[in-house]
């Protein structure tokens, strides 16, 4: 079957290169008031989660050969292994702060981190508790913002990413099959208010790590 695609990245491409040439345009649209989705799809082990969420670290855990003090010093800046989620969060925050300083635009942003497995939706920021009484109800709770946490800084977003990642690992340990069949969704919800007119625009950006395509 023939199909069209825009670009192919080889195995040597950096995380930054992939983001700049695939997801960044959607991030720009999100800041400008349009909702969008960035989705990674492929077989288990193909690198989907690494592309979307990169390497998770807290600035105090050194890997082999790495210096603890350097990691602490660089915590606030981008790391080469940061994924689309981390790069997106930093770019959005930078853009919103610039708009607020230059144009007086006020903003409010929240994050949601859920996992969909079978017919259930799990809130990764509430100890993996099931959301709603069914998948449909759970989706409505998520879209209505009832699983949302307000954020203003990169440190807050990073903390939520780590909390969700830890919960995913815990769930996968308890039921290994879930690690390759669950879909993970990280959502940024944004409302911007124009000065003077108080006109509001709202948008959502969904970053989706699908389960294994096999």
């Amino acid at each position: 079957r023939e199909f069209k695609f825009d670009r192919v990245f080889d195995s040597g491409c950096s995380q930054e290169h992939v983001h700049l040439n695939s997801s960044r345009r959607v991030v720009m649209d999100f800041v400008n008031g349009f909702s969008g989705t960035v989705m990674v799809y492929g077989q288990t082990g193909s690198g989907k989660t690494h592309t979307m969420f990169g390497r998770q670290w807290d600035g105090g855990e050194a890997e082999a050969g790495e210096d603890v003090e350097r990691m602490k010093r660089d915590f606030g800046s981008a790391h080469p292994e940061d994924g689309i989620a981390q790069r997106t969060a930093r770019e959005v925050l930078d853009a919103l702060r610039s708009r607020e300083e230059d144009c007086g635009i006020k903003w409010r942003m929240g994050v949601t981190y859920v996992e969909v497995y079978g017919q259930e939706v799990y809130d990764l920021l509430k100890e993996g508790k099931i959301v709603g009484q069914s998948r449909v109800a759970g989706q409505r709770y998520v879209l209505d913002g009832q699983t949302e946490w307000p954020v203003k800084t990169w440190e807050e977003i990073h903390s939520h990413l780590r909390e969700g990642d830890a919960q995913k690992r815990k769930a996968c340990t308890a039921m290994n099959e879930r690690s390759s069949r669950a879909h993970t969704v990280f959502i940024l919800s944004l409302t911007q208010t124009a000065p003077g007119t108080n006109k509001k625009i709202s948008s959502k950006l969904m970053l989706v790590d699908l389960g294994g395509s096999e």
Side-chain angles (χ1 to χ4, degrees):
R1 178 182 299 179
E2 293 185 357
F3 61 93
K4 295 181 179 180
F5 52 90
D6 297 322
R7 191 183 302 267
V8 173
F9 301 104
D10 62 36
S11 59
C13 284
S14 66
Q15 293 278 71
E16 180 182 19
H17 182 77
V18 172
H19 172 61
L20 291 177
N21 292 278
S22 60
S23 50
R24 197 182 195 197
R25 183 179 300 176
V26 183
V27 176
M28 295 169 61
D29 289 340
F30 168 66
V31 173
N32 288 323
F34 297 92
S35 295
T37 298
V38 178
M39 183 182 299
V40 290
Y41 170 82
Q43 289 187 324
T44 300
S46 59
K48 300 185 302 298
T49 300
H50 181 258
T51 298
M52 182 59 75
F53 295 108
R55 184 185 69 159
Q56 298 287 295
W57 59 286
D58 64 9
E61 299 171 357
E63 295 183 355
E66 290 189 301
D67 180 74
V68 177
E69 292 304 317
R70 180 181 62 80
M71 292 180 72
K72 289 181 178 179
R73 184 175 64 250
D74 294 343
F75 175 56
S77 58
H79 187 279
E81 294 304 311
D82 279 349
I84 289 173
Q86 290 92 340
R87 295 176 186 277
T88 292
R90 283 194 172 95
E91 289 182 354
V92 169
L93 287 172
D94 286 345
L96 293 174
R97 286 167 181 158
S98 294
R99 286 188 171 194
E100 187 169 21
E101 292 175 3
D102 298 340
C103 307
I105 294 176
K106 302 299 181 182
W107 56 275
R108 177 178 57 80
M109 189 161 67
V111 299
T112 297
Y113 205 178
V114 297
E115 190 172 68
V116 181
Y117 177 72
Q119 296 301 311
E120 307 290 354
V121 178
Y122 300 85
D123 189 343
L124 297 175
L125 301 182
K126 287 189 176 179
E127 300 180 341
K129 293 181 180 178
I130 294 177
V131 179
Q133 301 301 313
S134 67
R135 185 169 177 173
V136 173
Q139 290 174 343
R140 178 49 53 193
Y141 273 99
V142 171
L143 294 175
D144 286 347
Q146 297 187 50
T147 55
E148 191 175 297
W149 291 79
V151 292
K152 292 287 287 185
T153 67
W154 158 245
E155 287 78 12
E156 290 174 327
I157 295 177
H158 180 81
S159 176
H160 289 312
L161 282 169
R162 281 197 60 80
E163 181 181 353
D165 182 67
Q167 187 57 50
K168 281 191 295 182
R169 294 174 187 274
K170 179 180 178 181
C172 291
T173 300
M175 184 166 47
N176 191 54
E177 179 187 60
R178 179 168 163 177
S179 65
S180 59
R181 296 182 62 192
H183 312 300
T184 304
V185 186
F186 186 72
I187 305 172
L188 294 173
S189 301
L190 174 64
T191 299
Q192 300 177 76
T193 305
T197 63
N198 286 325
K199 181 180 179 181
K200 299 180 184 293
I201 58 171
S202 297
S203 54
K204 288 184 183 292
L205 178 59
M206 300 193 180
L207 306 178
V208 185
D209 179 13
L210 290 176
S213 59
E214 66 275 6

